[in-house]
Amino acid sequence: MNAQFKKGVLDLVVMVVVSQHDIYGYELVKRVCEVVEVNEGTIYPLLKRMTNEKYFETYLVESTEGPPRKYYRITALGLTTMNQLKTEWLAFSKQLNLFLEGGTHDEQEGIS
Amino acid sequence: MSKKEFLEKLEHKLHLLKQDEIQDILDEYSGYIDNKLQEGKTEDEAVADFGNLDDLAREILSAYKIDDKYTHDKSRDIIDNVVDIMTQGIDSAVTYFTQHFNNLSVEAVIRLVALILIALVVIGLIKIPFSLLETLATGLLRVILPNFLAAPLNLFVRLAINLIYLCLVVLLMASFISRGLENKELALRDLIEKPFVFNFHWHHGDAGTPRNGTADALNPDGITKAKNTDDKAGEALAQAEAAVEIIDRTEAEITQTLEDEDKRILEDPIDPLIQPRASHPYYYNEEGFRKKSGRGIGKAAARLMIGIVQLITLMIVIPFGLGEFVFCFAFGLLIFLLFQGAKLWGVTLICLGLAGIFHSVVSRLWRIVRPAAKKRSLLPSLIASLVITGIGVPWMMVEFSRYQEVPISQDFPELVQTETIHLTPTEELDQVRFSFYYEDVVFRDNPNLGNGSLQLTLPPGQYKQQTDLSDSLQNQEMKSLNIYAVGDDAEEFKNGLKIFLRGLREGKWYTSEAFYAGPQTLIVEASQPTLDQLEFDENQSLLMIHR
């Protein structure tokens, strides 16, 4: 699968996953990989970046199995950005699909 | 890589961040690794899941808006490179061999042993031309250069030759051993025709490591091809040529591949996306793992070669760098002398030119040692330096040839040079005349000698001085000085006169003032006479100073 495609949507996918419920790193990677196949080495820095940009916030939870886990929660800013990205993506992919099916919106109207 | 190693290396690469940030990140990744260990992976596998460490670190740093361009820790580049490669190589070699030896039959073991013996013989044979080369080179150097220069250069040359030989040996052994492990039929021709074959059972399929692309860029083309296709004779030959080419590779190619790698990394930072694991990322990929270790040897060998070449180049760079420094220093010195009056244009230009040439060489070689991000064109400065040197050399020769008119040894004779002059007997018995011709003479009774003075020291006695401005001399421009000794001392004067002559074009004379303080000392300042302007006539009775 094209790397550029994946790169483009990764932000959005991660944000959506976190927005569904608070989640910790390892589990998040699993969930994201169900949608888009990526190397986890990419996701962790991305999480870090988004946290730095205040889209996520983190908190630690003691775990019985080992060291405390860091959980990610989406912030208000993150939610807004996510919705923005979502809208952009939907519009963009719609446009692209139309284009691939042959002609722009106007042309189609002309044919039919 | 173990968990501890991974965390240590990561910590080093993130050193730019604040300590508590770094600790935070390390804890996080430690947690991720632990999670995976719980799921049954080994430390090696857990670490490998993160992909390439450099890329990971870069990604993390970019989250802090730290640009890779400015943070790359170049100071540890070479050492990191070589050490990494060596440990990597050893690790992969060990895993590879343990795996393969399990599959070997007795026959194959015997074959392997035979191959190793043959390899040893071949290595011994190859040593011969290298030894010859070594002896020739050292002998030549000893002839050309003076002893003190020759000794360190000799050492260096021998070291370089031996290193090359060593690399050759390593490659040879690796390829021979790999053949032995193949369980294939071997003809002796095979050995001769394709001496370098790295057959590590490459398969089709997805790459085992995310850094596949980069590794390919690093390796010579031949080995890369063989990795990605089935084992074919044509490929093997290409491999052989390529492997040999590693050693003969020109600096441009090496630099190019290294620069390509850098460029690739910079342009495509989220590299791991390109080559995800073939199967689900979390589960142990046996095939990928084995491929990885096999590939490791080839990659390690090649990277070792490149590391060694870089080391050799570094060693070459050092004397050139020193030379450049020396010439720049000399240039500065000559500029200073210029202001002091010694106009040595030719030598100055030469120093400038040579400094430029050496600088170009150093720059070019340094680009191998550390691949630079931007390509600076060296050609114009090199040409300019050569031109300057070309102008300087003949100029210097002209200047020095001019000096032959007044050789330095004549300019600075022994402090006291005595000439015995026979004197003209005069009609008066008690007078002896000594005369010489001169132009524009200024008489000073000041014993302080300046430029171009002619100093006569006469033995104690009574003298009269007569400046002959007579018209009887044919040449109006010439004047003569006659000195008469009168009285009892005339006899002695007659027999010989020691005249202390010093002639200098420029500079100061050393005198003992007390010696010349007496009134009998005449100081004649002629316009720059030198000793070769002083001439005795045929009778040895007249000392002449002329232009």
Side-chain angles (χ1 to χ4, degrees):
Chain A
M1 205 226 189
N2 187 292
Q4 300 295 325
F5 293 165
K6 292 194 230 184
K7 225 198 279 191
V9 301
L10 198 57
D11 281 17
L12 178 57
V13 171
V14 166
M15 278 203 219
V16 168
V17 167
V18 175
S19 72
Q20 284 167 359
H21 59 86
D22 293 0
I23 191 171
Y24 68 97
Y26 192 51
E27 204 191 317
L28 180 136
V29 174
K30 275 204 222 175
R31 294 263 295 120
V32 169
C33 284
E34 285 164 21
V35 181
V36 140
E37 225 173 84
V38 285
N39 183 291
E40 57 191 66
T42 329
I43 297 191
Y44 296 135
L46 190 142
L47 282 175
K48 171 71 56 189
R49 175 165 59 83
M50 297 196 125
T51 316
N52 285 1
E53 289 175 1
K54 306 281 186 274
Y55 296 141
F56 300 146
E57 48 190 27
T58 65
Y59 57 92
L60 289 172
V61 166
E62 291 298 325
S63 152
T64 45
E65 300 149 347
R69 286 179 180 159
K70 183 187 277 190
Y71 274 78
Y72 291 88
R73 178 202 293 142
I74 195 162
T75 62
L77 175 64
L79 267 176
T80 349
T81 318
M82 180 193 89
N83 287 325
Q84 207 178 332
L85 275 180
K86 205 161 150 184
T87 325
E88 281 176 14
W89 166 259
L90 288 171
F92 173 70
S93 60
K94 182 172 167 198
Q95 193 77 355
L96 182 63
N97 288 336
L98 283 176
F99 172 71
L100 288 175
E101 282 159 26
T104 62
H105 186 62
D106 298 294
E107 224 178 293
Q108 275 223 328
E109 283 207 286
I111 290 172
S112 62
Chain B
M1 211 189 304
S2 70
K3 173 181 168 188
K4 182 159 168 288
E5 223 181 303
F6 169 77
L7 290 174
E8 277 173 2
K9 286 196 178 159
L10 187 62
E11 182 175 3
H12 169 74
K13 290 185 192 289
L14 295 176
H15 70 277
L16 277 174
L17 300 175
K18 287 208 296 211
Q19 194 51 44
D20 41 3
E21 273 304 328
I22 298 179
Q23 197 52 52
D24 207 25
I25 295 173
L26 290 179
D27 287 341
E28 217 177 292
Y29 279 79
S30 174
Y32 296 143
I33 294 178
D34 287 339
N35 283 332
K36 289 195 252 188
L37 290 179
Q38 279 170 3
E39 288 200 351
K41 295 197 179 181
T42 68
E43 279 190 11
D44 271 336
E45 290 152 9
V47 167
D49 276 349
F50 292 124
N52 172 266
L53 188 57
D54 282 325
D55 287 342
L56 184 66
R58 190 180 322 111
E59 281 302 307
I60 297 175
L61 286 175
S62 77
Y64 295 86
K65 309 275 192 243
I66 296 177
D67 194 332
D68 168 81
K69 229 193 321 177
Y70 304 107
T71 63
H72 196 33
D73 194 354
K74 295 196 190 296
S75 64
R76 289 187 49 159
D77 236 354
I78 285 193
I79 304 173
D80 263 349
N81 233 353
V82 177
V83 167
D84 269 349
I85 291 159
M86 282 170 56
T87 39
Q88 222 181 55
I90 293 173
D91 278 342
S92 13
V94 166
T95 3
Y96 177 72
F97 284 133
T98 39
Q99 280 173 358
H100 272 78
F101 275 125
N102 289 337
N103 304 337
L104 247 33
S105 63
V106 179
E107 235 181 55
V109 172
I110 295 178
R111 195 178 286 126
L112 179 63
V113 170
L115 266 178
I116 291 181
L117 287 173
I118 297 178
L120 286 173
V121 170
V122 171
I123 288 169
L125 285 174
I126 292 185
K127 180 69 169 136
I128 296 177
F130 275 99
S131 296
L132 263 169
L133 186 64
E134 206 180 302
T135 331
L136 268 173
T138 51
L140 201 67
L141 277 173
R142 210 157 278 151
V143 166
I144 296 180
L145 295 171
N147 213 13
F148 62 91
L149 263 183
L153 266 180
N154 268 345
L155 198 65
F156 162 72
V157 163
R158 281 173 52 198
L159 196 62
I161 291 179
N162 279 317
L163 271 173
I164 296 176
Y165 169 70
L166 201 69
C167 300
L168 201 55
V169 164
V170 164
L171 277 176
L172 210 66
M173 293 243 39
S175 80
F176 270 55
I177 290 178
S178 82
R179 272 183 202 273
L181 293 171
E182 260 170 59
N183 290 341
K184 268 187 167 182
E185 289 298 323
L186 277 176
L188 198 58
R189 306 186 64 187
D190 271 348
L191 271 176
I192 298 176
E193 276 177 12
K194 308 166 207 164
F196 291 107
V197 172
F198 293 97
N199 248 322
F200 295 111
H201 295 294
W202 308 127
H203 297 290
H204 283 298
D206 287 346
T209 72
R211 282 253 322 198
N212 181 38
T214 325
D216 284 352
L218 244 187
N219 279 313
D221 295 333
I223 291 187
T224 313
K225 280 194 217 124
K227 272 190 209 147
N228 294 330
T229 66
D230 285 337
D231 175 24
K232 290 183 183 150
E235 293 299 337
L237 198 56
Q239 261 179 332
E241 286 169 355
V244 173
E245 256 190 334
I246 297 171
I247 301 167
D248 299 343
R249 196 176 268 258
T250 63
E251 32 180 56
E253 283 176 14
I254 295 176
T255 320
Q256 191 56 44
T257 49
L258 288 170
E259 282 179 14
D260 279 348
E261 181 199 338
D262 275 351
K263 220 185 294 172
R264 243 195 95 267
I265 293 175
L266 288 172
E267 285 168 8
D268 213 355
I270 313 189
D271 193 31
L273 273 180
I274 293 177
Q275 296 287 359
R277 296 303 217 101
S279 47
H280 197 279
Y282 297 99
Y283 299 110
Y284 175 39
N285 186 344
E286 165 131 19
E287 173 116 317
F289 185 70
R290 193 178 299 154
K291 274 183 281 176
K292 231 194 304 177
S293 45
R295 180 174 294 129
I297 295 187
K299 181 161 100 174
R303 290 185 76 175
L304 182 68
M305 292 293 310
I306 291 180
I308 288 180
V309 169
Q310 282 182 325
L311 268 173
I312 294 178
T313 317
L314 186 66
M315 292 192 321
I316 298 177
V317 161
I318 291 174
F320 274 105
L322 277 173
E324 184 188 338
F325 174 75
V326 163
F327 281 115
C328 287
F329 185 74
F331 180 64
L333 208 65
L334 286 162
I335 297 275
F336 170 71
L337 285 177
L338 215 68
F339 284 112
Q340 293 288 20
K343 298 197 200 281
L344 295 164
W345 293 109
V347 186
T348 316
L349 282 180
I350 288 182
C351 281
L352 184 62
L354 281 172
I357 293 175
F358 273 43
H359 177 72
S360 305
V361 171
V362 167
S363 298
R364 198 65 191 83
L365 291 177
W366 191 247
R367 291 242 309 271
I368 302 179
V369 171
R370 292 210 195 290
K374 39 176 189 159
K375 256 190 169 120
R376 278 168 31 209
S377 172
L378 290 169
L379 205 53
S381 72
L382 185 63
I383 291 181
S385 311
L386 282 171
V387 166
I388 292 177
T389 319
I391 297 177
V393 168
W395 198 328
M396 174 185 78
M397 286 169 43
V398 165
E399 276 180 336
F400 280 176
S401 70
R402 256 192 263 144
Y403 277 103
Q404 269 169 13
E405 295 177 12
V406 187
I408 301 213
S409 58
Q410 273 198 0
D411 261 355
F412 293 90
E414 290 178 24
L415 278 182
V416 169
Q417 183 171 12
T418 62
E419 302 282 349
T420 305
I421 312 175
H422 297 281
L423 307 164
T424 317
T426 61
E427 283 129 24
E428 299 87 354
L429 290 172
D430 61 355
Q431 284 185 352
V432 183
R433 191 176 82 193
F434 158 72
S435 60
F436 60 93
Y437 297 93
Y438 56 86
E439 289 177 33
D440 291 327
V441 171
V442 172
F443 289 99
R444 301 192 301 177
D445 52 5
N446 184 343
N448 189 16
L449 302 172
N451 289 345
S453 306
L454 179 67
Q455 181 180 347
L456 305 175
T457 307
L458 306 169
Q462 286 186 319
Y463 298 97
K464 272 199 316 193
Q465 165 194 316
Q466 184 187 68
T467 311
D468 185 6
L469 303 170
S470 67
D471 303 321
S472 60
L473 291 176
Q474 289 165 359
N475 190 347
Q476 286 297 325
E477 289 173 351
M478 299 186 67
K479 303 169 188 166
S480 67
L481 173 69
N482 299 325
I483 300 173
Y484 296 86
V486 297
D488 308 316
D489 300 316
E491 192 59 41
E492 193 185 322
F493 197 70
K494 212 195 297 188
N495 292 335
L497 175 68
K498 284 209 172 93
I499 298 182
F500 295 88
L501 297 171
R502 286 182 192 81
L504 278 178
R505 275 174 74 197
E506 284 164 68
K508 298 213 157 120
W509 297 357
Y510 287 92
T511 76
S512 158
E513 294 215 22
F515 192 58
Y516 298 119
Q520 65 268 35
T521 305
L522 290 173
I523 295 165
V524 173
E525 224 172 21
S527 45
Q528 301 193 351
T530 59
L531 285 183
D532 61 0
Q533 292 170 324
L534 303 170
E535 213 178 81
F536 292 118
D537 71 345
E538 307 82 43
N539 302 333
Q540 293 277 303
S541 59
L542 278 180
L543 177 68
M544 292 191 289
I545 307 169
H546 58 88
R547 268 275 185 216

